[in-house]
Amino acid sequence: MSVTIRQATKQDEDALSRICLLTADAGKSAEHLHDYPELPGLVYAIPYVNLPTTWGFVLEDESNGDVVGYILGSKDTRAYEAHARESWWPPLAEKYPPSIAKKPGDIYYTNLLRNMYTIPQSNIDFSPAHLHIDILPAFQGKGFGTKLIRTAVQYLKEEGLDGIWLGLDPRNTGARAFYEWLGFKQIEGAPDGNQLGLKFADLRA
């Protein structure tokens, strides 16, 4: 099983959306939660190849060219929030009104698009940069997540940053163990224990 890591592009949108859906239920497939399976990706993946301040890398299966994982984020979360609030969430909120939603996932996302959360200041104080990372199950547990994190860290170091953070689904205990092994720690002053930050100097070698 050989993979290549490369920069994410707009041409990856369909793959990013699919991977996001297949990992959106605490690391498992959320297909059963949606009639509109594109919704998770429209919130947590696709914006990162469309909006300013963003960056991303994908895992590409060398055997067939398929994208099988990604790490995406913003170098400036507050600026990202502002851009999304102005130009990304409003048209999606109009396209996906809560009245169309029947399944739990669709109900959640159609409401979220109208009431998007604001990131806690504790996270911003830790670092302006955040990330999302997802890998298809068949490619998990093989060291590819570590390689994606290290690729992102090297890129962000070159951009002058010294840390990054993420929000974790508390049900995904395997992901927490992975992040903590890499050197992520609970962010001081965060509103809950699911905000994890990494100072690059603490990244496990």
Side-chain angles (χ1 to χ4, degrees), residues 37-154:
E38 66 273 24
L39 282 171
L42 287 170
V43 172
Y44 292 118
I46 307 303
Y48 295 94
V49 290
N50 284 278
L51 295 180
T53 80
T54 57
W55 54 271
F57 297 92
V58 296
L59 280 177
E60 191 173 83
D61 184 350
E62 291 181 357
S63 69
N64 55 20
D66 287 350
V67 173
V68 297
Y70 61 70
I71 186 167
L72 307 165
S74 168
K75 295 178 285 187
D76 185 338
T77 297
R78 286 287 184 248
Y80 173 83
E81 288 179 326
H83 287 297
R85 191 164 53 244
E86 179 179 346
S87 65
W88 192 259
W89 308 132
L92 291 176
E94 184 175 350
K95 182 177 180 180
Y96 299 97
S99 59
I100 69 172
K102 304 287 191 295
K103 291 186 177 179
D106 295 330
I107 291 170
Y108 172 77
Y109 282 101
T110 55
N111 281 284
L112 180 63
L113 290 170
R114 282 159 175 71
N115 300 280
M116 187 56 63
Y117 52 79
T118 300
I119 295 302
Q121 187 59 38
S122 56
N123 295 33
I124 306 300
D125 292 342
F126 182 87
S127 171
H130 74 270
L131 71 83
H132 298 282
I133 180 171
D134 288 303
I135 299 173
L136 291 178
F139 290 81
Q140 294 175 12
K142 303 182 186 322
F144 299 141
T146 300
K147 289 181 179 179
L148 280 176
I149 293 280
R150 289 177 176 156
T151 299
V153 166
Q154 183 58 42

